[in-house]
Each structure stands twice: as structure tokens, then as C-alpha cells.
Amino acid sequence: MKLWKRAVGAVKDKNSIVVVYISRRNSFRNPELEAAIIKATSHDELHIDKRSAQVVFSWIRASPVSLGPLIWALSRRMEKTRSWVVAIKGLMLMHGIFHCKAPVVQMMQRLPFDLSTFSDGHSKPSKTWGFNSIIREYFAFLDQRAAIFLEQDNQNNNNKVEERLLLVQQLLKLEKWQSLLDLLLQIRPRAENMKVRLIMEAMDCVIIEIYDVYGIICNEIAKILLKIYSVSKHEAAMALRVLQKAMKQSEELSLFFEFCKEYGVLNATELPTVTRIPEEDVEELERIMNGVSVPEKTINYKEGFEEMNQMEMTAVVEEYTRGTLRTIITDKWVVFEENDEQQYGFSNETKIVAEDDADGSTEKKSQPQVGGETGSQPTAINN
């Protein structure tokens, strides 16, 4: 039955590509880009076409006008599909597009399609409810992410804001980042039949994004607490609410990572311990809010949060030695090339070690192409 489904899916994908090339062209259609999108979001749950995904990323980076045809083609495919495989690949592709350093992408307010009520139509609900759930949760996160990043970009371009207003904006922005982290922590496989490569790779994307978002939250909290002695009671109350939320989320993060480790998610196997916010700092902030005098020298918020920011975002290094595969950990986002062909996915740095039977061992290392901050380009974790 599975073989039959794969065959039917392959025929559908091939027919879709044929239709693309014979259809009438207009300003919203790009046959090469449409074909790459179809291949990158194929019905094959055992394979991800990394080369085609990189073609999509390259179009966006090279030509901003490609965003229109991309949105049209990807939205049309996502709205028509009843396959969880196509849907999850479409979301991963959209996740990668968001990480392209293209200004036109950062201006997207929301996702161009709606999968909030997605339901797979190719299997019984008893078998696909878990896949439906993770797709809806993944969509909710990406949709909200687009809105928050657009708002952040607009705020970064506005440098004429009073200091007091800026602090309130920082607190409000921080609350939105925390709500985004809540959405990320909702994304998880909830059924035993979901231990498949495609879901595991999607969860690797989520793990890395969590470290991006949590790192931003820690940095913003550290900046705000440095100003705590010159704030009003209203601002202190907002800061306290943010700090209490951060304490709760640190506990939820630990539980989430434990779940991912037990489930077998690759990027969660060797994660560092999440450093929690000291309760003493919260108590000191409460005293300040209540008007109790606290010597500034007794509180060192920055040091504590610098320790939190030492958490390294994990990555995957794949070493190939005579047909064997071994996974180790590193810490940088890159786009890499293998045999002159770029690939995609969501780990950070890839090193390929190839052995030449005639001349001995040779080593090829990918060179970092993009920085490790939020907005860096995802790359492949599995081949």
C-alpha cells in the first residue's frame, strides 16, 4: 500500500511539472521556480529534494521580483494539497525562505496560505491526527513569526523615539517574543507513528529556532534589567511580568528538550542545560516595584544573563567514512555545497569527510556563508 501511494504521488508531481511548462506564462508565473517548488514539496516522505529547495532560495536572494511568482506558486500548491507530506515540506520550505537574507522576504506580514485547519485526506484520521496537529502548530508559529519580524524591522528603522517610550516598546516586544516561544513549544510529534525522517527533520528546524528565539529573549531581558533603577512602577510591573514568564518558560524548555531527547530528535540529543533566572533577582525586582530601597551594587543582572547566553545553538556535522555516518555537534549556520550543488535543511555546519580508495583519505569542509544570528540560512541535516 505504501509503495502504491508513493507511485501515485510521484505521478502527481510529474504531471504538475508538465502542466507548469505547458501553461500560459504571465507576470506571476515562473516555470523554473514553480518546478523547483513542486520538487521541493514532493509527495515522497522518504526524500527531501535539497537541490530544488536551494534553487528556490537562490531565486529569492538574486531577484526580489521572484517573491511574487513564489508566493503564487507555493500558495496554490499548499491550498490544494490534502497530503501531510506536501504540507510539512511546504512549511519547511517557507521556514527556509524566511531565513534568506532578502529584505523583500522580511516585509511579508503573514504567511501567504492558511493551514490552520489542515487535515490529511489520504489516510484514516486515526492514523494522521498527529501529523495534522503538528502541521497546524508549525503553521501558527511561522505565521506569527512573519508578523513579529516585520514589526521588529520597522522598529529598528525608527531612531527618533524617546528613551521612556523605547523601554515600554522593548517590554512589549519582549512579550511578543515570549508568545512566539510558546508557539514553538507547542510543535511536537504526538503519536508513535510519527517517528519518520520528515517529522524528525522538521523538529530539528524547531529546535534550532527555539535557541534563536530564546537567545533573543535573554539578551532583551538583560538590557531591560540594566535600566530597572530608573523606571516607573508601571514599567517595573511589566518587567516583573516578563521575568516571571521567562522563569516559567525556562522550565517548559527543559521539559520540551527532555521530550525531544526521548523521542529521538537529533538536535535535542546533546543540548546544554537551560539556565534558569535566579529567584533572588525576581524578589529584588518586586522590592523595587513596591518602593523598597535596594542598593544597585547588590544586583548583577547582566552577569547572570550573559551566562544564559552562553548556551550554544546545536548543529549537526555529518562524517562519511566508507559508507558509515556519524553525528557530532557544532555551532554555526551555513549554506554548504556538496559536489558543487547546494542543499537545504536545518542544521548549522556540515563537514564531509570522503575517503579515496586509491590516494588515501581526503577532507572537504564547508565554509560558513552566513552568520549564526537569527535570519541565517538553514542548511541540510540529513542526506
mmCIF file of all heavy atoms in Angstrom, residues 214-234:
data_model
loop_
_atom_site.group_PDB
_atom_site.id
_atom_site.type_symbol
_atom_site.label_atom_id
_atom_site.label_comp_id
_atom_site.label_asym_id
_atom_site.label_seq_id
_atom_site.Cartn_x
_atom_site.Cartn_y
_atom_site.Cartn_z
ATOM 1 N N TYR A 214 14.995 32.045 22.022
ATOM 2 C CA TYR A 214 15.316 32.130 23.445
ATOM 3 C C TYR A 214 16.551 32.995 23.687
ATOM 4 O O TYR A 214 16.642 33.714 24.684
ATOM 5 C CB TYR A 214 15.533 30.729 24.012
ATOM 6 C CG TYR A 214 15.562 30.694 25.526
ATOM 7 C CD1 TYR A 214 14.460 31.110 26.262
ATOM 8 C CD2 TYR A 214 16.688 30.252 26.219
ATOM 9 C CE1 TYR A 214 14.471 31.088 27.648
ATOM 10 C CE2 TYR A 214 16.711 30.217 27.610
ATOM 11 C CZ TYR A 214 15.594 30.637 28.311
ATOM 12 O OH TYR A 214 15.605 30.623 29.686
ATOM 13 N N GLY A 215 17.500 32.956 22.754
ATOM 14 C CA GLY A 215 18.669 33.822 22.866
ATOM 15 C C GLY A 215 18.290 35.295 22.778
ATOM 16 O O GLY A 215 18.826 36.134 23.510
ATOM 17 N N ILE A 216 17.367 35.617 21.882
ATOM 18 C CA ILE A 216 16.890 36.994 21.762
ATOM 19 C C ILE A 216 16.208 37.430 23.052
ATOM 20 O O ILE A 216 16.412 38.545 23.552
ATOM 21 C CB ILE A 216 15.916 37.115 20.567
ATOM 22 C CG1 ILE A 216 16.680 36.952 19.255
ATOM 23 C CG2 ILE A 216 15.192 38.461 20.593
ATOM 24 C CD1 ILE A 216 15.800 36.874 18.025
ATOM 25 N N ILE A 217 15.380 36.547 23.614
ATOM 26 C CA ILE A 217 14.678 36.864 24.864
ATOM 27 C C ILE A 217 15.672 37.153 25.984
ATOM 28 O O ILE A 217 15.533 38.144 26.724
ATOM 29 C CB ILE A 217 13.737 35.711 25.251
ATOM 30 C CG1 ILE A 217 12.570 35.634 24.269
ATOM 31 C CG2 ILE A 217 13.212 35.885 26.677
ATOM 32 C CD1 ILE A 217 11.672 34.430 24.464
ATOM 33 N N CYS A 218 16.686 36.321 26.128
ATOM 34 C CA CYS A 218 17.687 36.521 27.191
ATOM 35 C C CYS A 218 18.433 37.838 27.012
ATOM 36 O O CYS A 218 18.667 38.569 27.979
ATOM 37 C CB CYS A 218 18.663 35.345 27.203
ATOM 38 S SG CYS A 218 17.952 33.784 27.749
ATOM 39 N N ASN A 219 18.815 38.155 25.765
ATOM 40 C CA ASN A 219 19.510 39.415 25.506
ATOM 41 C C ASN A 219 18.648 40.621 25.852
ATOM 42 O O ASN A 219 19.124 41.594 26.449
ATOM 43 C CB ASN A 219 19.922 39.483 24.032
ATOM 44 C CG ASN A 219 21.145 38.641 23.730
ATOM 45 O OD1 ASN A 219 22.023 38.503 24.555
ATOM 46 N ND2 ASN A 219 21.183 38.060 22.540
ATOM 47 N N GLU A 220 17.368 40.564 25.466
ATOM 48 C CA GLU A 220 16.468 41.689 25.723
ATOM 49 C C GLU A 220 16.210 41.873 27.214
ATOM 50 O O GLU A 220 16.126 42.997 27.708
ATOM 51 C CB GLU A 220 15.156 41.488 24.965
ATOM 52 C CG GLU A 220 15.271 41.588 23.454
ATOM 53 C CD GLU A 220 15.748 42.948 23.000
ATOM 54 O OE1 GLU A 220 15.285 43.967 23.574
ATOM 55 O OE2 GLU A 220 16.591 43.017 22.089
ATOM 56 N N ILE A 221 16.061 40.769 27.946
ATOM 57 C CA ILE A 221 15.854 40.872 29.390
ATOM 58 C C ILE A 221 17.064 41.499 30.061
ATOM 59 O O ILE A 221 16.942 42.351 30.956
ATOM 60 C CB ILE A 221 15.552 39.482 29.996
ATOM 61 C CG1 ILE A 221 14.160 39.009 29.563
ATOM 62 C CG2 ILE A 221 15.615 39.532 31.523
ATOM 63 C CD1 ILE A 221 13.793 37.623 30.062
ATOM 64 N N ALA A 222 18.259 41.102 29.639
ATOM 65 C CA ALA A 222 19.477 41.673 30.221
ATOM 66 C C ALA A 222 19.540 43.181 29.999
ATOM 67 O O ALA A 222 19.902 43.945 30.906
ATOM 68 C CB ALA A 222 20.700 40.991 29.612
ATOM 69 N N LYS A 223 19.164 43.636 28.805
ATOM 70 C CA LYS A 223 19.184 45.074 28.513
ATOM 71 C C LYS A 223 18.183 45.830 29.375
ATOM 72 O O LYS A 223 18.464 46.925 29.866
ATOM 73 C CB LYS A 223 18.867 45.301 27.031
ATOM 74 C CG LYS A 223 19.925 44.791 26.075
ATOM 75 C CD LYS A 223 19.474 44.962 24.636
ATOM 76 C CE LYS A 223 20.478 44.365 23.655
ATOM 77 N NZ LYS A 223 19.998 44.476 22.258
ATOM 78 N N ILE A 224 17.011 45.244 29.551
ATOM 79 C CA ILE A 224 15.958 45.915 30.319
ATOM 80 C C ILE A 224 16.320 46.009 31.791
ATOM 81 O O ILE A 224 16.131 47.046 32.437
ATOM 82 C CB ILE A 224 14.622 45.178 30.125
ATOM 83 C CG1 ILE A 224 14.107 45.417 28.705
ATOM 84 C CG2 ILE A 224 13.583 45.625 31.152
ATOM 85 C CD1 ILE A 224 12.922 44.572 28.335
ATOM 86 N N LEU A 225 16.878 44.940 32.343
ATOM 87 C CA LEU A 225 17.194 44.945 33.773
ATOM 88 C C LEU A 225 18.307 45.918 34.131
ATOM 89 O O LEU A 225 18.400 46.357 35.272
ATOM 90 C CB LEU A 225 17.558 43.525 34.222
ATOM 91 C CG LEU A 225 16.390 42.533 34.242
ATOM 92 C CD1 LEU A 225 16.861 41.158 34.690
ATOM 93 C CD2 LEU A 225 15.279 43.023 35.163
ATOM 94 N N LEU A 226 19.120 46.264 33.161
ATOM 95 C CA LEU A 226 20.159 47.255 33.424
ATOM 96 C C LEU A 226 19.569 48.646 33.638
ATOM 97 O O LEU A 226 20.209 49.528 34.194
ATOM 98 C CB LEU A 226 21.153 47.291 32.250
ATOM 99 C CG LEU A 226 22.048 46.054 32.105
ATOM 100 C CD1 LEU A 226 22.898 46.161 30.855
ATOM 101 C CD2 LEU A 226 22.931 45.871 33.338
ATOM 102 N N LYS A 227 18.317 48.840 33.192
ATOM 103 C CA LYS A 227 17.670 50.150 33.322
ATOM 104 C C LYS A 227 16.644 50.165 34.456
ATOM 105 O O LYS A 227 15.898 51.127 34.586
ATOM 106 C CB LYS A 227 16.961 50.502 32.015
ATOM 107 C CG LYS A 227 17.832 50.463 30.782
ATOM 108 C CD LYS A 227 17.006 50.693 29.526
ATOM 109 C CE LYS A 227 17.848 50.580 28.269
ATOM 110 N NZ LYS A 227 17.022 50.759 27.051
ATOM 111 N N ILE A 228 16.591 49.116 35.245
ATOM 112 C CA ILE A 228 15.479 48.931 36.164
ATOM 113 C C ILE A 228 15.401 50.005 37.249
ATOM 114 O O ILE A 228 14.329 50.269 37.803
ATOM 115 C CB ILE A 228 15.554 47.523 36.796
ATOM 116 C CG1 ILE A 228 14.161 47.083 37.255
ATOM 117 C CG2 ILE A 228 16.546 47.482 37.934
ATOM 118 C CD1 ILE A 228 13.169 46.940 36.166
ATOM 119 N N TYR A 229 16.531 50.658 37.580
ATOM 120 C CA TYR A 229 16.512 51.630 38.679
ATOM 121 C C TYR A 229 15.936 52.979 38.272
ATOM 122 O O TYR A 229 15.689 53.828 39.111
ATOM 123 C CB TYR A 229 17.933 51.820 39.233
ATOM 124 C CG TYR A 229 18.436 50.587 39.932
ATOM 125 C CD1 TYR A 229 19.261 49.698 39.263
ATOM 126 C CD2 TYR A 229 18.058 50.304 41.243
ATOM 127 C CE1 TYR A 229 19.709 48.542 39.898
ATOM 128 C CE2 TYR A 229 18.505 49.152 41.873
ATOM 129 C CZ TYR A 229 19.323 48.279 41.194
ATOM 130 O OH TYR A 229 19.762 47.147 41.805
ATOM 131 N N SER A 230 15.715 53.174 36.969
ATOM 132 C CA SER A 230 15.190 54.462 36.514
ATOM 133 C C SER A 230 13.804 54.332 35.895
ATOM 134 O O SER A 230 13.386 55.194 35.133
ATOM 135 C CB SER A 230 16.149 55.073 35.483
ATOM 136 O OG SER A 230 16.279 54.210 34.358
ATOM 137 N N VAL A 231 13.085 53.260 36.241
ATOM 138 C CA VAL A 231 11.781 53.036 35.619
ATOM 139 C C VAL A 231 10.662 53.396 36.576
ATOM 140 O O VAL A 231 10.849 53.484 37.793
ATOM 141 C CB VAL A 231 11.624 51.561 35.181
ATOM 142 C CG1 VAL A 231 12.713 51.176 34.206
ATOM 143 C CG2 VAL A 231 11.640 50.633 36.390
ATOM 144 N N SER A 232 9.471 53.577 36.011
ATOM 145 C CA SER A 232 8.282 53.839 36.816
ATOM 146 C C SER A 232 7.744 52.517 37.364
ATOM 147 O O SER A 232 8.174 51.428 36.963
ATOM 148 C CB SER A 232 7.221 54.514 35.959
ATOM 149 O OG SER A 232 6.768 53.624 34.940
ATOM 150 N N LYS A 233 6.766 52.628 38.272
ATOM 151 C CA LYS A 233 6.168 51.408 38.833
ATOM 152 C C LYS A 233 5.463 50.593 37.755
ATOM 153 O O LYS A 233 5.477 49.365 37.785
ATOM 154 C CB LYS A 233 5.189 51.770 39.956
ATOM 155 C CG LYS A 233 5.858 52.202 41.242
ATOM 156 C CD LYS A 233 4.843 52.317 42.366
ATOM 157 C CE LYS A 233 5.539 52.654 43.686
ATOM 158 N NZ LYS A 233 4.577 52.724 44.814
ATOM 159 N N HIS A 234 4.842 51.291 36.802
ATOM 160 C CA HIS A 234 4.158 50.585 35.710
ATOM 161 C C HIS A 234 5.159 49.775 34.889
ATOM 162 O O HIS A 234 4.913 48.609 34.559
ATOM 163 C CB HIS A 234 3.438 51.589 34.817
ATOM 164 C CG HIS A 234 2.887 50.990 33.561
ATOM 165 N ND1 HIS A 234 1.846 50.078 33.556
ATOM 166 C CD2 HIS A 234 3.249 51.156 32.257
ATOM 167 C CE1 HIS A 234 1.581 49.716 32.310
ATOM 168 N NE2 HIS A 234 2.421 50.361 31.507
#
